[in-house]
């Protein structure tokens, strides 16, 4: 489906992938990138020592996903399957639209070279210049979903 023709929505598979790798913390904390985070990886309005309810965490997740869906739809100009779309929204949820916009991943994807996208996804597994095992698993899961539609949270390639 071409993104400009119809507004795609993330599937439950994509939401599950985000939830699995973000985890849900009801008390704010600093993530590996030293960003204040709360709920399911929410950063936009997170504050030090903030405590939220599960209901608020779930609301913030859905609100954040809408933003990242819009970013993917705005920046990608080729057809995507649902699984490819889900993988890209998950990637963008974690890394942000600025990184998607400036990435070789986007250039490769928008050129229609779908078989090279997963190797670009896999490059983004570092924080502070160092690979993090959790990010490596996440990127492998996103790449696998993009290429095959298989949802695997990384336990098979830990």
């Amino acid at each position: 489906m071409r993104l400009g023709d119809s507004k795609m929505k993330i599937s439950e598979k994509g939401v599950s992938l985000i939830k699995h790798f973000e985890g849900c913390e009801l008390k704010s904390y600093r993530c590996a990138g030293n960003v204040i985070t709360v709920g399911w990886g929410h950063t936009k309005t997170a504050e030090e020592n903030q405590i939220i309810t599960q209901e608020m965490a779930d609301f913030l997740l859905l609100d954040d996903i809408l933003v990242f869906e819009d970013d993917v739809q705005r920046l990608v100009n080729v057809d995507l399957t649902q699984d490819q779309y889900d993988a890209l929204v998950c990637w963008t949820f974690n890394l942000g639209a600025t990184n998607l916009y400036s990435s070789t991943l986007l250039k490769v994807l928008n050129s229609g070279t779908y078989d090279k996208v997963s190797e670009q996804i896999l490059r983004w597994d570092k924080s502070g210049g160092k690979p993090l095992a959790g990010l490596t698993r996440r990127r492998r899961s996103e790449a696998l979903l993009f290429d095959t539609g298989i949802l695997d949270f990384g336990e098979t390639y830990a």
Side-chain angles (χ1 to χ4, degrees), residues 23-94:
C24 187
E25 295 290 335
L26 300 180
K27 184 176 188 310
S28 63
Y29 64 98
R30 289 195 176 267
C31 70
N34 201 33
V35 176
I36 299 171
T37 306
V38 71
W40 298 101
H42 177 78
T43 59
K44 186 176 178 181
T45 61
E47 300 173 357
E48 289 277 0
N49 301 312
Q50 182 178 18
I51 298 174
I52 62 172
T53 64
Q54 185 65 54
E55 183 179 70
M56 180 55 78
D58 294 343
F59 171 82
L60 291 170
L61 172 66
L62 296 178
D63 195 52
D64 287 344
I65 285 173
L66 289 174
V67 171
F68 296 114
E69 285 178 325
D70 287 345
D71 293 332
V72 169
Q73 290 174 26
R74 179 174 44 85
L75 296 171
V76 174
N77 60 31
V78 295
D79 294 340
L80 294 175
T81 66
Q82 183 67 55
D83 293 324
Q84 290 169 334
Y85 178 78
D86 288 352
L88 290 172
V89 172
C90 183
W91 188 95
T92 307
F93 186 100
N94 183 237

Side-chain angles (χ1 to χ4, degrees), residues 98-114:
T98 301
N99 282 320
L100 178 61
Y101 175 77
S102 63
S103 70
T104 302
L105 184 161
L106 184 65
K107 291 173 186 62
V108 167
L109 176 61
N110 280 340
S111 76
T113 315
Y114 294 93

